[in-house]
Amino acid sequence: MIDGKKDDFDILFDKSILNDIDTFDDSNLEKRNMQSEYDVDDYIEFEDEAEISLSSSENQEVDEEIDIFELDQRGRASQTPYGEQNVDSLTEKNKSSLYDDDDDDDDDDDDDDDYEDDDDKIYASSRMNDSRKARKKQVSLMREILSYIEMFAFAVIFAFVFTEFVIVNAEVPTGSMKNTILIGDRIIGNRLAYKFSEPKRGDIIIFKYPDDESQNFVKRVIGIPGDIVQIIHGQVYVNGFLLDESYIREPMIDNENELEYVVPEDSYFVMGDNRNDSHDSRYWKTTNFVSRDQLIAKAMVCYYNSDTMKLQFKLLKNQYGSSMSQAEVATKSNTIDK
C-alpha cells in the first residue's frame, strides 16, 4: 500500500518538477540538492502517518492533504533524477485530479454568474421595453398634438381664404334696412356673385361707402346704369314706372320735393328699405352712386342676431314685381312715361 501511494506522489512530484524546473536559477541548484535529502526524510515520516490515517472515515481528505504537502515539499528538489524518470507516466486523469475541487467551485461560481447575468438581462430587457413604450407613447402624443395644430392651422387658413375671396361675414349695426335686415343681424354675402355678372334691380348689395371707403354699407339696388330714378311726393319711379315696394318698412315722407337721378355707366343708385331712416344715395356728398369697383358682395342670407342671441335663417331675395319688369322695357326703349 505504501509503494502504491508512492507512485501517486511521484506523479504529482514529477508534475511539480515540470512546472518549476524553468523557474530556478543555476546559482541555486547546488543548495537545493542538499536540501532535497532532508525533504525526502520528512516525506517518508509523513507518508507513514498518512498510511495509518487511511483506515479512518476521512481517507479522502487525508489524500488531499498529502497531495498538497507533496507539492509543497517536493517542489524544492526540482532537479533530482527521481522526478525526471517518471514525467512521461503522468496521465490525464492524474493531471485533472488536482483541479477537480477548484473546477467544481469555479462551475458553481459560473452558474451563479450565469443566473446573475440572466437576471441582469431580464431586468435590462424589461427596462428597455418600458423605455420603448414610453418613447412610443411620447411620440404618439406629439403626433396627436401636431395633428391638432395642423387641423387648427388649416382651419384658420381656410377661414381666411374663404372670407377674403369667397364670402363676407358681416354684422349690420343700424336699422336702415328694416324690416328686411334688423339691427344686430349677421349676414353672409357672396363675393363671387358679381365677378361674372351685373347687379340687378332689387338686389341687396354690400359695398364700400363712397364718402369713406373704410366703412361697408348694405343697401338695395334701385337703379342700374342708364336708369332714370325719380322721387315724386314720396313715390319712387324708375324710367317713368312706379315701383311696387312692399318690402319697405313704411311709406316715405312726402317733402314735396321732386328728385331725379340719371345713373351713369358702371354705377348704381341704392336706397335703404327703411326710407325715412337711411343714409343712402339721396344724401351722399361726394356722389349719389356706387361704382362697380366699390362692390364687395351680394347679400344672401341672415343667420344670427347678436341682440337677441338667436339663430335664424332668412334668405335675402330680390322682391321686385311687375313694375320693375316694365321699367326694364322702358329702359330699352329710352322712353319715360310721366
Side-chain angles (χ1 to χ4, degrees):
M1 182 176 181
I2 293 175
D3 293 337
K5 195 64 179 178
K6 262 186 176 181
D7 293 338
D8 290 33
F9 287 154
D10 290 340
I11 293 170
L12 297 174
F13 165 69
D14 293 337
K15 181 181 179 181
S16 175
I17 291 172
L18 292 175
N19 292 332
D20 296 336
I21 193 169
D22 294 330
T23 61
F24 292 97
D25 299 329
D26 294 337
S27 61
N28 295 327
L29 180 61
E30 182 178 356
K31 183 178 178 180
R32 290 188 179 276
N33 287 333
M34 293 175 64
Q35 291 179 350
S36 63
E37 294 178 0
Y38 298 99
D39 293 338
V40 170
D41 294 335
D42 292 338
Y43 163 71
I44 294 172
E45 292 178 1
F46 178 77
E47 190 179 45
D48 292 337
E49 293 176 359
E51 182 181 359
I52 296 171
S53 61
L54 287 174
S55 59
S56 65
S57 59
E58 300 177 351
N59 187 17
Q60 185 176 359
E61 296 179 0
V62 172
D63 289 341
E64 295 176 356
E65 292 177 1
I66 293 173
D67 292 340
I68 294 171
F69 179 82
E70 176 66 19
L71 290 173
D72 183 54
Q73 297 298 325
R74 289 299 184 95
R76 300 176 184 177
S78 59
Q79 301 299 324
T80 58
Y82 178 76
E84 296 176 356
Q85 297 173 0
N86 298 294
V87 171
D88 295 335
S89 63
L90 188 62
T91 63
E92 292 298 328
K93 181 176 181 180
N94 297 125
K95 289 180 182 179
S96 61
S97 63
L98 292 176
Y99 305 104
D100 288 342
D101 294 337
D102 292 339
D103 291 343
D104 292 339
D105 293 338
D106 292 340
D107 291 340
D108 293 338
D109 293 339
D110 292 340
D111 291 340
D112 293 339
D113 292 339
D114 291 340
Y115 288 129
E116 291 178 0
D117 291 341
D118 291 341
D119 292 340
D120 291 341
K121 289 179 181 178
I122 294 172
Y123 178 70
S125 178
S126 177
R127 290 197 60 182
M128 187 179 296
N129 291 334
D130 293 341
S131 177
R132 287 176 179 174
K133 289 180 181 179
R135 207 176 301 118
K136 287 181 179 179
K137 187 175 181 181
Q138 185 177 7
V139 170
S140 177
L141 179 61
M142 289 299 296
R143 286 179 178 174
E144 186 174 0
I145 293 173
L146 287 175
S147 66
Y148 286 126
I149 293 174
E150 288 175 357
M151 286 190 293
F152 178 76
F154 176 79
V156 170
I157 294 172
F158 178 80
F160 174 78
V161 173
F162 196 67
T163 56
E164 285 295 319
F165 300 101
V166 180
I167 68 166
V168 172
N169 183 14
E171 181 176 343
V172 179
T174 68
S176 65
M177 286 295 292
K178 285 182 179 180
N179 288 327
T180 305
I181 301 175
L182 304 179
I183 297 174
D185 276 354
R186 294 200 67 88
I187 62 175
I188 292 177
N190 181 7
R191 290 180 180 272
L192 304 178
Y194 300 130
K195 294 297 182 182
F196 307 102
S197 63
E198 300 293 331
K200 297 178 181 179
R201 300 181 189 92
D203 284 355
I204 298 175
I205 63 172
I206 302 170
F207 57 93
K208 294 183 180 297
Y209 175 39
D211 287 349
D212 182 6
E213 292 193 0
S214 65
Q215 301 182 53
N216 296 334
F217 276 19
V218 55
K219 305 292 181 184
R220 190 183 295 273
V221 175
I222 302 299
I224 61 176
D227 283 349
I228 299 175
V229 179
Q230 296 173 309
I231 300 175
I232 303 171
H233 301 298
Q235 301 291 320
V236 179
Y237 295 85
V238 176
N239 299 330
F241 291 91
L242 178 65
L243 296 182
D244 180 13
E245 299 183 297
S246 60
Y247 46 81
I248 64 174
R249 182 182 184 189
E250 58 189 6
M252 193 185 309
I253 296 174
D254 183 7
N255 55 13
E256 298 183 355
N257 291 331
E258 292 188 10
L259 303 174
E260 182 176 300
Y261 306 93
V262 179
V263 183
E265 207 171 317
D266 292 329
S267 298
Y268 304 90
F269 185 88
V270 298
M271 297 173 68
D273 289 353
N274 187 6
R275 298 287 167 79
N276 295 322
D277 189 17
S278 175
H279 186 67
D280 49 38
S281 290
R282 295 170 293 172
Y283 307 110
W284 295 339
K285 296 178 181 179
T286 56
T287 179
N288 297 111
F289 308 100
V290 178
S291 64
R292 199 181 194 293
D293 58 4
Q294 291 173 329
L295 296 177
I296 297 175
K298 178 181 180 180
M300 304 296 293
V301 63
C302 294
Y303 69 92
Y304 179 76
N305 187 279
S306 59
D307 289 348
T308 61
M309 299 182 68
K310 290 182 179 180
L311 292 172
Q312 59 181 351
F313 186 80
K314 181 169 64 174
L315 291 175
L316 302 176
K317 296 180 179 180
N318 186 326
Q319 297 182 1
Y320 278 161
S322 59
S323 60
M324 188 56 66
S325 298
Q326 293 175 351
E328 183 71 22
V329 173
T331 301
K332 291 181 180 179
S333 62
N334 289 323
T335 61
I336 300 176
D337 185 5
K338 296 184 178 179

